Amino acid sequence: MNAAIMTTDTMPAKRPWRDNALFQGWLVLLLAVVFGALLAGVQTALGPTIAANKRNETLSQVPALLAPASGAAATAKLEIDTRMLPVSRGGRTAVYRVHRARRDGQLAGWVVQTAGQGYADRIEVLVGLSPEADVITGLFVLDQKETPGLGAKIATAPWRRQFVGKPAAAPLEVVKGGGAGANQIDAITGATISSRAVVAIVNRALADVSSQLAADAGKAAP
Amino acid sequence: MTYFVDILLIALGAALINNFVFYYFVGICPFIGVSRRVEMAFGMGCAVTFVMTIAAAISWTMTRFVLMPGAPLTRWAAGLWLDPQAAAGVDLSILSYIVYIFAIAASVQFVEMYLRRFLPLLYRSFGVFLPLITTNCAILFACLTIMSRLVGVDDPAARWDLAQALALALFGGVGFTLAIVIMAGIREELEACDVPAPFRGVPIALVVGGILAMAFMGFTGVDNGLKTALTPPAAIVAQAPQADSGNGASTP
Amino acid sequence: MSTPSAAQRFVRGILPENPVYRQMLGLCATLAVTNNLKSAVTMGAAVLFVLVCANLMVSLIRHWLTPHLRIVIFTLTIATFVTVADRLLAAFLYPMSKALGPYIPLIIVNCIIICRCEVCAAKQGPLTAVADALGQSLGFALALVSLAAVREILGTGMWFGFRVLPAAWPDWVIMVLPPGAFLTFGLLLGLANWISARRGGKEEA
């Protein structure tokens, strides 16, 4: 292949046996085997570390997204298990990655992973929910490429903190200039579209999963 | 309906909003190197679009059926030696980059042969650029973008299908052609200008590229507006009340 | 022109034949990852790893290379080492690997590497090939860092994420956005041309 890019003048004088098609093929095959072994080695050696990195990226955020525990539960270790939650609603199906957190066997909350289109590119967020899935307990932006200095402020703590304590049942709405209503989120100045995008992503995820999570929480209760 | 809006938005995003050249900086080498004459730039753009679409089809198929974790063909082949549980865990995604680059090389060869044989007129207009574009990063970038929308996507419904992959590649190519032709048009005029000596040639082309990139930034956010405009408002309003009744009933 | 020694090749790659400023190679990465110094340095290191490994490998098998399959072998070698570099980054520098995203695999089509394999490694011994690879990739890294240094400090007032300019600095956001890459590189390239013209160096071709 690639015969067209070849320029033979740069090569040293050829010897006849080297021009044999079989010999030429052998070198490529040999290299393919050597490189295949190298890659298999890399995969075996690093695969688990990479998978753990990917997992930890989200799992390390989970504690901060839950409602702070009080009393004896505060010192208990958090157990997190992850599953895929299929949802079908309004003729559309979606699958959400949901992390369930427990302290001492007691349900401590849920963290839902979701994504959607932002102003510039995809925005990926984690939404923390109370055990009954009725109150938002935290928001974290995993990935975003919004405009630095404007839309990128969706990842800053002060803006994200507005979501804490908001009810999950009614859709949130974006207001400009200090909205303090029960389900209002104040837009970032100069980045209303980014703010709206995050709120829309959160609203859609909550509408999809909250009732199902609430039902699961009821079932899990002893 | 939403599906077609989706395709439209992918196409629009690839061609204008997140233009391959001005937003992702891929295909800069030909953007600078082959943008001296408009006809040459157009030929190059066509060649890239052609190859990109074919390479995208090959790499989507390879990723979907062979390379991604749990891909059906790999699972079947591994199942011949391993037990089903182990076979489902076979992950060949480490080979993706190698497969993509050879898929691109193969597409270049294929396009070249096909054009020379069946469309000699077209071949004469951009055939000379074909060998050059094996190492065009725009094409590998399209393959990688398609990969990122297949591998590691939790929701099977959100994984791109072939039509979405082709929309990205085809319109990514159109966006590239647009960028390189605009650039060539400007550079033809620039030759008549009195540019300071150290800036002649590539430096001034880059500065012009910067100004064009700023112009293309104006497209940002258009997709969001279009999406809102094209989605029937009934669908948005209807979602909220359905949330409780529809879901509550289906949950056991 | 006599064949340069290993040491000469090393020095040559850094400034006189700088891959970015002189040869105009690898521009995609140069523009894409230079909005901050951290990505620029990581990218430079990844290219160094791939170029040294690929050059060494090609140099070791240079006697068996055949004209027809030469490019295929180069591509296979480069793609393999890029995959290794990609996995190493994902395992040990996960945030950087995520930030650089597709630009690490795009090293495969970075013209610098295939060009060095073709021009140098396919004809020279391993020592010369490695020296050449080191020189070229250091030159590449230097170019990335020079761009990133200008863009990061003007765009955010920081270097490597640490504040350098006073907080009152009005961030020139455009510098860390795509247009800033084109403008900065265009101006720096013009500056480099001007300096080399002043020093009686050869005119930019």
Side-chain angles (χ1 to χ4, degrees), chain A residues 1-5 39 43 84 89-90 92-95 97 117-122 145 171 193 207-208 211-212 215, chain B residues 18 23-24 91 94-95 98 102 105-106 109 112 131 134 149 154-157 220-221 223-224 239-240 242-243 247 251:
Chain A
M1 51 200 341
N2 272 335
I5 344 179
L39 288 183
Q43 176 79 326
M84 298 298 169
R89 207 162 58 77
R92 146 185 97 82
T93 55
V95 176
R97 188 182 283 257
Q117 179 66 33
Y119 179 62
D121 216 318
R122 260 164 68 89
K145 293 186 181 67
I193 297 177
D208 279 353
S211 54
Q212 210 160 325
Chain B
N18 296 344
Y23 185 80
Y24 289 118
D91 178 7
I94 195 164
L95 296 176
I98 300 177
F102 282 101
Q109 289 294 296
E112 194 176 15
T134 311
R149 296 306 172 94
D154 295 336
D155 185 351
T220 325
D223 47 352
N224 266 315
Q239 266 179 14
Q242 266 180 12
N247 241 359
T251 327

Side-chain angles (χ1 to χ4, degrees), chain C:
Chain C
M1 195 173 77
S2 63
T3 356
S5 71
Q8 275 173 321
R9 278 177 184 276
F10 174 76
V11 174
R12 227 178 240 192
I14 296 177
L15 278 181
E17 287 181 11
N18 187 290
V20 174
Y21 284 108
R22 284 271 157 247
Q23 303 176 53
M24 302 288 151
L25 294 176
L27 297 188
C28 304
T30 309
L31 295 175
V33 303
T34 49
N35 56 5
N36 65 76
L37 277 167
K38 242 192 239 168
S39 335
V41 170
T42 318
M43 184 52 137
V47 167
L48 182 116
F49 171 81
V50 175
L51 187 50
V52 169
C53 291
N55 250 13
L56 182 63
M57 188 76 202
V58 168
S59 169
L60 288 176
I61 58 170
R62 68 187 185 281
H63 296 301
W64 297 286
L65 286 176
T66 48
H68 276 78
L69 292 173
R70 199 176 73 248
I71 301 286
V72 176
I73 288 172
F74 292 168
T75 312
L76 185 65
T77 313
I78 295 167
T80 307
F81 286 117
V82 168
T83 310
V84 173
D86 179 67
R87 297 294 143 135
L88 282 172
L89 270 182
F92 300 112
L93 275 173
Y94 187 70
M96 274 337 286
S97 149
K98 219 183 146 182
L100 290 172
Y103 296 103
I104 291 291
L106 282 177
I107 298 176
I108 299 176
V109 283
N110 190 324
C111 324
I112 296 174
I113 298 175
I114 202 149
C115 173
R116 291 335 287 178
C117 287
E118 169 83 21
V119 172
C120 173
K123 296 174 206 154
Q124 307 290 336
L127 186 72
T128 321
V130 169
D132 182 78
L134 282 174
Q136 292 286 335
S137 41
L138 283 179
F140 180 67
L142 197 72
L144 288 190
V145 166
S146 67
L147 238 107
V150 174
R151 287 182 69 192
E152 193 181 0
I153 199 161
L154 293 181
T156 62
M158 296 194 268
W159 267 342
F160 288 104
F162 296 107
R163 187 149 282 285
V164 177
L165 293 178
W169 172 256
D171 296 344
W172 299 6
V173 175
I174 199 76
M175 296 310 274
V176 288
L177 291 175
F182 285 103
L183 295 176
T184 315
F185 185 46
L187 295 177
L188 282 182
L189 192 61
L191 185 70
N193 288 344
W194 182 71
I195 291 173
S196 70
R198 286 275 297 230
R199 292 171 60 198
K202 55 184 183 254
E203 271 289 302
E204 208 257 319

Side-chain angles (χ1 to χ4, degrees), chain B residues 30 34-35 37-51 111 115 121-130 132-133 136 173 176-178 180-181 184:
Chain B
V34 198
S35 61
R37 289 277 164 270
V38 171
E39 311 87 77
M40 271 172 73
F42 186 71
M44 183 72 187
C46 291
V48 167
T49 311
F50 239 73
V51 174
V111 170
L115 286 185
L121 205 69
L122 217 54
Y123 180 75
R124 239 171 292 145
S125 66
F126 65 78
V128 280
F129 301 109
L130 281 170
L132 289 176
I133 60 185
N136 184 324
F176 175 80
T177 312
L178 189 69
I180 195 170
V181 167

